[in-house]
Amino acid sequence: QVELVESGGGLVHPGGYLILSCRVSGLGFYRAITGWHRQVPGQGRELVAAVQSDDETSYSDSAKGRFTISRDPSRNTINLRMNELKPEDTGIYYCNVDLRLRGGKNWWGQGTQVTVSS
């Protein structure tokens, strides 16, 4: 059974940092597109950062220069380091493993809350 479990969210002051981690079980993701998405109430999920199977990374404009996505196949984790956090970074962060281009599915975690507030 495939399971994605996020951790590392919490309350942080503006300018602070958090490191989110997504542990993947039941699935190897080295050929997948893996990413982190943010959702705020009343809106859809917004892609924040993604890493391709060839380790190429991409970021939203708001995340560029502040966030770093990485993955560790040996530990089956996908990580997101978020520096210089701003109140507008607040939301629920979800990780995903997308294997649809390989004939598979798009799996999601349950999300972790990030709140940036003074």
Side-chain angles (χ1 to χ4, degrees):
Q1 182 176 347
V2 177
E3 188 175 30
L4 282 65
V5 179
E6 298 100 333
S7 61
L11 172 65
V12 63
H13 293 308
Y17 77 95
L18 285 173
I19 301 173
L20 306 183
S21 184
C22 174
R23 179 171 295 278
V24 182
S25 59
L27 178 72
F29 55 71
Y30 67 96
R31 296 200 306 166
I33 300 169
T34 55
W36 283 93
H37 303 249
R38 177 177 62 239
Q39 187 168 25
V40 298
Q43 298 184 21
R45 291 181 188 179
E46 170 196 20
L47 178 64
V48 173
V51 54
Q52 308 286 332
S53 58
D54 61 359
D55 289 331
E56 181 178 351
T57 57
S58 58
Y59 298 90
S60 66
D61 287 342
S62 65
K64 282 178 186 175
R66 299 188 299 127
F67 294 3
T68 303
I69 188 171
S70 62
R71 56 189 193 177
D72 186 347
S74 66
R75 293 185 171 86
N76 250 27
T77 58
I78 307 159
N79 303 306
L80 183 69
R81 182 179 177 102
M82 305 187 294
N83 293 333
E84 301 173 35
L85 283 163
K86 305 174 182 179
E88 51 263 42
D89 295 319
T90 295
I92 301 174
Y93 283 71
Y94 298 89
C95 67
N96 81 306
V97 174
D98 190 348
L99 275 168
R100 289 175 293 180
L101 293 179
R102 306 284 185 177
K105 298 179 181 180
N106 187 18
W107 288 273
W108 293 89
Q110 83 289 347
T112 185
Q113 176 71 46
V114 170
T115 303
V116 184
S117 175
S118 54

